[in-house]
Structures are given as C-alpha cells and as structure tokens.
Amino acid sequence: MSQYELYRRSSLGMALTDTLDELIQDGHVDPQTAMKVLAQFDSSFAEALRTKVRSKATIKGSLHIYRSCDDVWTFFVRNATLRIDNETIAADKIKLVACTAKTAPA
C-alpha cells in the first residue's frame, strides 16, 4: 500500500468503490485493475490535499479519547468548535483522523 486508504471512506471514495464493484460484477473490469484504480485514487487524493488545499483549521473542545496506531492518530473531541477560514461550526462531538506526512514505500 503506497498511501493511506482512509480517503476511500469519503463520499467520493465510496462512490468510486461502488462503481468499481458494479463494473467488476458486470465483467467490464477485473479486480486487479480495480485495485490499481483505488491505489491511484489514494495517491491522487493525498497529493491534492498536500498541494492544493491552503485552508487552516482550528479546533477547540474537550479531548475525550485519543489513540495512535501505525502513524495514524485518532482524536475524539466533545463540545467542539471548528473554525475554517472565516466559518465556525459547532458540534457535540467530532472524530479527527490525522496521518504522518511521509508516504510509505511503494
């Protein structure tokens, strides 16, 4: 795995996965090709976030739980206030997943 696969759980990643599953079932794409497409999606998504997104976010709240496994950090924050650029969003709880910036060898 060359990149983290967590972007596959985004709405875009889920739509891609569903479409690839349908193409496999219909016999238009073989499973190996679908896996290559997903690997490219992971790489392209991470690259786009790294190079195209310039917004910064601030999160305030009460840290409820945090954990780290394989350089992936997960934070659960209660009574959170999320500020992105000039927009503020309040939530009872949020889950934040963060990964190290380095990429794994291909």
Side-chain angles (χ1 to χ4, degrees), residues 3 7 10-11 15 23 25 27 34 36-37 42 47 53-54 56 62-63 66 68 76 79 84 86 93 96 105:
Q3 297 286 332
Y7 304 120
S10 68
S11 58
L23 289 171
Q25 289 175 358
K36 288 180 183 178
V37 169
D42 297 335
E47 180 67 19
V53 176
R54 296 289 176 231
K56 297 200 183 276
S62 299
L63 182 61
Y66 70 95
S68 175
F76 295 90
N79 302 319
I84 302 174
N86 293 324
K93 57 185 175 181
L96 174 69

Side-chain angles (χ1 to χ4, degrees), residues 29-79:
V29 173
D30 60 89
Q32 293 81 9
T33 301
M35 292 306 296
K36 288 180 183 178
V37 169
L38 286 173
Q40 183 60 52
F41 171 79
D42 297 335
S43 178
S44 297
F45 205 111
E47 180 67 19
L49 288 176
R50 185 172 32 260
T51 60
K52 306 282 188 212
V53 176
R54 296 289 176 231
S55 296
K56 297 200 183 276
T58 304
I59 299 172
K60 292 183 180 181
S62 299
L63 182 61
H64 178 60
I65 299 171
Y66 70 95
R67 60 179 164 237
S68 175
C69 181
D70 295 333
D71 292 328
V72 177
W73 286 85
T74 305
F75 301 90
F76 295 90
V77 181
R78 289 186 173 167
N79 302 319

